[in-house]
Amino acid sequence: GRAAVELLELLGFEVILADKVCCGRPMISKGLVEDARRCAKHNVEALKDYAEGKIPIIGCEPSCLLTLRDEYLDLLPGEAVKSVARQSLMLEEWLVKILEAGRWSPRQQHSGKVLLHGHCHQKAFDAFGAVEQVLKLVPGLAVETIESSCCGMAGSFGYAADTIDVSLAMGELSLLPAVRKAPDDAIIIADGTSCRHQIH
């Protein structure tokens, strides 16, 4: 989050940290729909004026941000929630938009290799391509996407005693072996918090 704020400010944008609460995704995953609905109501109230003013709502964690774009439409009625959903973008989706509008171009030279793992929500919503697109524009950066399915963590699934073996087996299908084979100086990129936990 801090790095995202630094980047956006470096690009000349004012960053407003909205007064929001949990997106509600953890509650949804456990069947606690009314708890999730309360979170959604709070967040839509906190974000609707920005959305209606066409200010982009930018997030870094795919599960959180894409909950605003998808599940909120099922949890709440009204135009405000639709407006929030329309204005919600992953950081890299926003970077692609301003890149295409000619408002930014990567100039900083980097060297080295990046291994990239896609979060399940990004893949499901066809939002992963923006990550690859932005990284491949950085001069000198060699980007390799790991051909992987779910990392196996899947929120709290990987932490539970009765599912940890399945979680680790999923990670071992392709993601974790690719990470172990990576050069010592390679950068491993995974947007998902749970994905990063599994890799660690």
Side-chain angles (χ1 to χ4, degrees):
R2 289 188 189 101
V5 170
E6 286 176 17
L7 174 62
L8 290 166
E9 288 178 342
L10 187 67
L11 295 173
F13 294 96
E14 178 188 358
V15 178
I16 301 164
L17 299 177
D19 179 27
K20 59 177 276 313
V21 295
C22 175
C23 67
R25 160 65 56 192
M27 294 88 160
I28 293 168
S29 71
K30 296 297 181 187
L32 303 171
V33 177
E34 290 309 313
D35 291 335
R37 198 183 319 276
R38 279 191 289 277
C39 290
K41 282 181 184 174
H42 176 96
N43 290 335
V44 168
E45 188 62 31
L47 297 169
K48 68 179 183 181
D49 290 343
Y50 301 119
E52 287 162 8
K54 304 293 186 211
I55 295 172
I57 298 163
I58 296 175
C60 300
E61 164 58 44
S63 290
C64 294
L65 190 281
L66 295 169
T67 296
L68 272 65
R69 258 188 7 211
D70 184 41
E71 281 85 356
Y72 276 22
L73 297 171
D74 292 326
L75 289 172
L76 298 174
E79 288 305 311
V81 71
K82 292 176 186 173
S83 181
V84 167
R86 280 192 299 271
Q87 288 299 117
S88 296
L89 297 163
M90 291 295 299
L91 173 63
E92 54 272 10
E93 291 176 309
W94 171 245
L95 291 174
V96 167
K97 274 183 174 281
I98 64 170
L99 181 73
E100 290 172 348
R103 295 175 68 186
W104 168 68
S105 63
R107 291 186 185 90
Q108 181 96 20
Q109 181 78 25
H110 287 274
S111 61
K113 182 172 187 173
V114 164
L115 285 180
L116 179 60
H117 167 69
H119 187 284
C120 289
H121 275 102
Q122 284 174 304
K123 293 173 185 173
F125 283 87
D126 198 26
F128 182 57
V131 185
E132 295 173 302
Q133 186 177 346
V134 169
L135 288 173
K136 286 179 179 177
L137 288 170
V138 177
L141 204 60
V143 181
E144 179 184 325
T145 300
I146 301 169
E147 293 300 324
S148 56
S149 59
C150 178
C151 71
M153 188 59 78
S156 63
F157 183 84
Y159 292 110
D162 59 337
T163 51
I164 190 170
D165 291 341
V166 175
S167 168
L168 292 173
M170 290 168 72
E172 291 295 345
L173 289 173
S174 56
L175 172 61
L176 300 179
V179 169
R180 283 194 291 271
K181 289 177 192 169
D184 290 343
D185 60 349
I187 300 168
I188 311 297
I189 295 181
D191 278 354
T193 302
S194 56
C195 303
R196 291 194 301 273
H197 281 214
Q198 183 77 309
I199 289 167
H200 283 300

